[in-house]
Amino acid sequence: MPHAPEPDQDDLDTIAPPQPVFHVEQALLGALLLDPHRLDDVSGIAADSFSTAAHAALYCAITTLPRPDPAQHAKNTQWLDHVLATSREQARGLTASYLHTLVQVCPWPCHAPAYARMVEAEHARRRLQTAAERLVHAVHDASLPHPVQTALAEADALAAVVDDIANRFPPRAGALPRTTAPPPPAAPDPTEAVEEEQILLATATAYPSDIDAARWLLPDDLTLPLHAGLWQCLTTLARRHEPVDPVTVLWEAQQRGLLDHGSEPGEVLGILAEPAGSVEYWGERALQRSLLATAEHTGRRIKAYAGDPANTPFQLVVGARRALADIAAVRTRWQHTTEPLSCPPPRRRAAPTTRAGPPTTTAAHAARTTRATR
C-alpha cells in the first residue's frame, strides 16, 4: 500500500530551494537596512529588479523614505519600523523578524555595490527571457491579422532589451554562450507548406520569365531539401538563359545529386506538373513562412541562453545579437518584397524595327495577348 503522510507532515521535497539571486537580494537589503547611506553607492536597479514581491516592496520603501540620522539609527529601530509599515502596504506578509534576518545574513554591508550589480545582472537575464518568450508567442498567435508585422515588432523590442543590457554590461570579445541552441522548429502546418511550395516550383517551371521577379527567395526559405534543390535548379537555368521545362529541370536535378536521396524522377516531374497563380505570390508565401520560422528559432535560442543562469550578461548580449542577425537578413529580403523602393518611371523605349510582313489579324493579336498575360 502507498505510504499515506501524516496530517501534520509537510512535503518539503516539493518546495524548490531559492536561487542564488534570492540570497544576493537578502544581502543587499540587509546592507541597506543596516546602513541606509549606502544607497549612494547602489545604482542600476529599481524595485522591479528584485525576484520577489516582498523584496521589491522593501527596496521601494528603503529608497522612498527619508534616510535616518546615522546616530539615531544606531540607537533605535524607528526608521526600520517605518520601512516595515511602508513595505507591508505592498507585501502584507512581511514581518519584523524577516527584517532582522536580512540584517543578520548580510556578510559585509560595504559590499552593497557588488550585490546590486548581481541583482542587476539577474534582472537583465529575466528581461531577456521574457522578451524572447513574447517573440515566440507572437509567431504562434493565430489570431493576429498581420503576423509578420507583429513578429518584427517583437523582434525590435527584443533587440532594444539587448541594446540596453549591452549598455549596462558591455560585451567582451569572444564571450559566447555555453548553452546548446535548440534545433530549428518544424513548420506549423507542413502539409500546407509542402503543397504551396510544389505549386511555386510548378509555376516557375511553366513561366520561367517570372523567376527573376522572385530573386529575393532563397533555397533555404523552402521547407524540404528537395524543394530547395529544385528552386536552385530553376534559378540556375533561368540565369543561364537555358530552356526551362519539367525535363530540363529534372536533368539539372540529377546533375546536382538531388535524386541520390530517394527521390524518383516521376516524383520530380509530378511536382512540376501543376502550375497555378503567380511565382511572386507563392514565393512571398514561402518567404513569410521562412521569416516566421526564423523569428521563432531566434526567440527560442535567446530564451535558451537566458534560461541558463551560468551565462553572464556579456555572453547573453553576444549570443542574442548573433541570433537577431538571422532575422535581420530575412527581414531585408521581406522588405524588398513587400515594400519596393520608389524609383523614377522607366523611360519609354522606341518600338523595335521589324521587317515587313503580313498584316496582323485580330485573331493572331488576341492569341499573343492571351499568351502574354498567362
Side-chain angles (χ1 to χ4, degrees), residues 29-368:
L29 293 172
L32 298 180
L33 291 173
L34 188 62
D35 295 329
H37 68 277
R38 296 194 181 277
L39 272 173
D40 295 332
D41 304 325
V42 173
S43 61
I45 61 173
D48 61 356
S49 303
F50 290 81
S51 61
T52 69
H55 289 178
L58 276 171
Y59 185 79
C60 183
I62 292 172
T63 54
T64 55
L65 289 174
R67 300 181 193 179
D69 177 79
Q72 294 297 322
H73 183 59
K75 297 179 181 179
N76 58 63
T77 62
Q78 183 177 1
W79 184 77
L80 294 177
D81 295 338
H82 288 316
V83 169
L84 178 61
T86 303
S87 57
R88 289 190 65 181
E89 296 176 1
Q90 302 296 329
R92 301 182 64 180
L94 284 170
T95 61
S97 62
Y98 187 65
L99 269 63
H100 178 73
T101 299
L102 295 177
V103 172
Q104 293 297 317
V105 299
C106 177
W108 294 96
C110 61
H111 292 171
Y115 303 149
R117 189 67 166 168
M118 297 173 192
V119 171
E120 183 183 7
E122 183 66 16
H123 182 229
R125 190 173 66 84
R126 292 198 304 270
R127 290 176 59 205
L128 191 62
Q129 190 170 24
T130 300
E133 290 173 350
R134 288 177 60 89
L135 175 58
V136 175
H137 176 74
V139 172
H140 289 279
D141 190 349
S143 65
L144 296 174
H146 305 289
V148 171
Q149 289 82 346
T150 304
L152 291 178
E154 292 296 343
D156 289 340
L158 176 56
V161 173
V162 175
D163 290 342
D164 182 65
I165 296 174
N167 291 332
R168 297 169 181 265
F169 301 88
R172 298 169 181 168
L176 292 173
R178 294 168 289 183
T179 310
T180 302
D189 189 353
T191 302
E192 180 183 22
V194 168
E195 291 177 351
E196 291 186 359
E197 289 174 5
Q198 289 178 350
I199 298 174
L200 165 68
L201 296 170
T203 306
T205 303
Y207 307 104
S209 60
D210 295 341
I211 294 177
D212 185 62
R215 59 185 180 274
W216 31 260
L217 186 67
L218 301 181
D220 289 342
D221 294 325
L222 304 185
T223 56
L224 296 183
L226 176 60
H227 293 177
L230 290 175
W231 179 252
Q232 193 168 19
C233 292
L234 284 162
T235 56
T236 300
L237 291 174
R239 186 175 64 253
R240 295 174 183 167
H241 302 288
E242 297 182 7
V244 177
D245 62 37
V247 174
T248 61
V249 175
L250 175 63
W251 186 257
E252 182 71 16
Q254 176 180 269
Q255 301 301 304
R256 292 178 175 271
L258 297 180
L259 306 183
D260 297 341
H261 304 288
S263 298
E264 299 291 339
E267 177 188 356
V268 173
L269 293 175
I271 291 174
L272 306 176
E274 298 182 5
S278 69
V279 174
E280 278 191 279
Y281 173 78
W282 297 115
E284 185 175 323
R285 293 276 297 174
L287 184 58
Q288 175 176 322
R289 274 192 300 271
S290 177
L291 189 151
L292 292 176
T294 302
E296 180 183 4
H297 188 215
T298 297
R300 292 189 182 279
R301 281 176 62 185
I302 297 176
K303 181 181 176 182
Y305 296 154
D308 186 353
N311 288 322
T312 66
F314 313 104
Q315 292 172 308
L316 294 179
V317 168
V318 174
R321 282 182 168 171
R322 290 200 175 191
L324 287 168
D326 294 340
I327 294 183
V330 185
R331 181 180 197 164
T332 300
R333 293 189 287 120
W334 175 260
Q335 290 174 339
H336 282 302
T337 306
T338 58
E339 303 173 8
L341 297 176
S342 59
C343 57
R347 296 180 179 179
R348 288 183 175 272
R349 293 183 296 178
T353 303
T354 58
R355 292 181 297 176
T360 304
T361 63
T362 304
H365 177 75
R368 285 200 300 271

